[in-house]
Amino acid sequence: MLSLTYKPYNLKKKHVFRIARGARTSTPLVLTRITFEGVSGYGEASMPPLYGESVESTMAFYQQLDLSQFQNPFELETILNYVDQVAPGHPAAKAAIDIALHDLIGKLLKIPCYQYFGLPASQKAYTSKTIGIDTPDVVKERVLEAKEFQYLKIKLGSDTDKEIIQAVREVSNQALYIDANQGWTDRNKALEMIYWLQEQGTVMIEQPMPVDQVVDLAWLSEKSPLPIIGDEGVQRLPDVLKAKHIYNGVNIKLMKSTGLREAYQMIVLAKSMGLKVMLGCMSETSCAISAAAQLAHHADFVDLDGNLLVTNNPYLGVGLEQGKLQLSNTPGLGLAPVDWEAIQGE
Ligand code: MG
């Protein structure tokens, strides 16, 4: 029999984090634990307010769930279909169940989750480090703190975009990912900006324009010299099919996809259609970041730095060396032993 326990946790950010659509200093989480015959798997729902989920909505969703009807975690397809059908939406709440089940299954089988998916531990998972929108001086400071990373992900979409890039270039030669978070609305200006950004050492552009400007995004993806990756415009599996006509690639995040199982299906589908695959994250602890890192073998772009930008990460998981993720070969997600009762964060 499976039993689910959960608790809210407020994940605090090191710095005020500003993007094209707002600023915040912390992110609400709900941490999950699923136990079977004395073995526990851990998961996490991370819910930046912009996405519409909250601690309240997630707890209410879990009150509707009855996982005790399942005899063991290996009926994963059945369990996750049940969870998905309890109510529409709630992708992060669902991801926290999926992640905990994968951790649990890995521990019971005594294999790391990447092996459960038949994958090697990625040897090329160089994660980007995200730099939020800020004044040129603060941007420079953040860039200098991120020297060990091969890639910087720079948030743009304000009216100081060029100043921000110039500030970055004053102190660094690192390759850049750009995330405009839907901040550009004129496709001709966007294309011009992308050519300029290419000259500045940019290798990829994430969600340059609003998701509802589908025709403009498709036009931009055809003309752009750099791959255009859909993020806000790509949530779950059916969105990958649509993305083929709008973007050059998709940013897959566990908190959007409802967890590892659907994320893996999205990766396979995206690859089969010739789309680039990016693995992204929200502000997350090492639990959800370690989960996403299990799939890094398939990613063209890895942006799994959410656990590095916070001050009260309660888990120890995937490591980092010279900007490269280091997956543990211990079972499940590879988290260090967890003292669940000691985790207090509301
Ligand atoms: Mg993004």
Side-chain angles (χ1 to χ4, degrees):
M1 197 169 97
L2 299 177
S3 77
L4 168 69
T5 43
Y6 48 90
K7 60 173 84 176
Y9 192 84
N10 192 37
L11 191 62
K12 296 181 183 126
K13 303 198 73 84
K14 274 184 193 158
H15 308 294
V16 177
F17 185 62
R18 213 166 274 114
I19 64 168
R21 295 182 300 155
R24 62 178 201 276
T25 55
S26 69
T27 306
L29 310 181
V30 175
L31 306 179
T32 56
R33 177 180 69 166
I34 298 176
T35 302
F36 172 71
E37 292 184 347
V39 180
S40 291
Y42 297 91
E44 160 185 4
S46 169
M47 298 159 295
L50 279 173
Y51 290 82
E53 289 182 83
S54 64
V55 167
E56 293 70 30
S57 70
T58 295
M59 309 262 268
F61 179 74
Y62 292 160
Q63 277 153 23
Q64 291 175 266
L65 286 187
D66 175 19
L67 295 188
S68 71
Q69 64 187 290
F70 299 104
Q71 294 312 304
N72 69 66
F74 298 106
E75 308 168 51
L76 195 54
E77 182 80 16
T78 308
I79 301 170
L80 294 179
N81 281 340
Y82 157 75
V83 170
D84 202 21
Q85 284 161 19
V86 165
H90 301 282
K94 291 170 183 175
I97 301 295
D98 165 289
I99 294 168
L101 285 169
H102 279 89
D103 189 30
L104 180 56
I105 287 172
K107 284 169 174 165
L108 292 167
L109 295 176
K110 299 188 169 59
I111 55 171
C113 284
Y114 58 83
Q115 281 181 4
Y116 173 78
F117 286 99
L119 301 173
S122 175
Q123 297 304 315
K124 55 180 176 56
Y126 288 94
T127 179
S128 53
K129 179 83 187 292
T130 301
I131 312 283
I133 294 175
D134 228 308
T135 63
D137 281 346
V138 174
V139 166
K140 277 190 232 174
E141 204 179 303
R142 301 278 178 270
V143 170
L144 288 170
E145 288 164 6
K147 274 194 177 142
E148 69 172 302
F149 296 88
Q150 290 208 355
Y151 302 96
L152 299 177
K153 176 162 133 169
I154 310 294
K155 294 284 194 179
L156 294 184
S158 73
D159 47 14
T160 59
D161 286 352
K162 286 197 174 176
E163 286 93 318
I164 288 174
I165 297 301
Q166 280 154 355
V168 172
R169 279 298 167 246
E170 275 179 43
V171 291
S172 150
N173 294 317
Q174 286 146 294
L176 306 182
Y177 300 165
I178 298 296
D179 188 357
N181 286 111
Q182 316 185 63
W184 303 335
T185 50
D186 178 318
R187 71 184 191 185
N188 290 301
K189 280 190 192 158
L191 185 59
E192 217 172 281
M193 187 66 177
I194 291 170
Y195 271 105
W196 182 80
L197 287 166
Q198 186 184 31
E199 287 167 17
Q200 304 297 317
T202 298
V203 296
M204 171 271 268
I205 309 283
E206 199 182 322
Q207 202 66 59
M209 302 182 72
V211 295
D212 55 2
Q213 288 184 232
V214 172
V215 174
D216 294 327
L217 279 163
W219 179 89
L220 198 58
S221 294
E222 204 189 309
K223 306 253 188 251
S224 169
L226 301 175
I228 305 288
I229 309 294
D231 179 7
E232 288 89 334
V234 180
Q235 308 287 324
R236 296 192 58 178
L237 189 58
D239 299 317
V240 178
L241 276 179
K242 292 182 228 155
K244 174 73 180 158
H245 308 288
I246 309 171
Y247 304 102
N248 308 122
V250 291
N251 185 347
I252 296 169
K253 298 177 178 173
L254 300 186
M255 297 303 144
K256 300 189 296 181
S257 72
T258 70
L260 282 161
R261 190 167 173 85
E262 189 157 322
Y264 180 74
Q265 293 165 344
M266 291 172 76
I267 289 171
V268 172
L269 181 58
K271 290 251 156 191
S272 75
M273 296 194 304
L275 288 165
K276 298 268 186 208
V277 168
M278 176 173 188
L279 266 182
C281 63
M282 310 294 183
S283 267
E284 294 168 5
T285 76
S286 290
C287 177
I289 296 293
S290 299
Q294 306 293 322
L295 304 179
H297 173 73
H298 276 312
D300 299 292
F301 307 106
V302 177
D303 179 33
L304 296 177
D305 64 343
N307 58 334
L308 306 175
L309 309 168
V310 302
T311 59
N312 60 339
N313 181 0
Y315 296 110
L316 189 59
V318 64
L320 187 77
E321 215 168 281
Q322 301 287 309
K324 193 164 82 170
L325 298 177
Q326 307 289 318
L327 274 167
S328 156
N329 60 6
T330 53
L333 303 177
L335 299 177
V338 174
D339 183 353
W340 174 257
E341 305 304 332
I343 299 175
Q344 302 285 347
E346 251 296 297

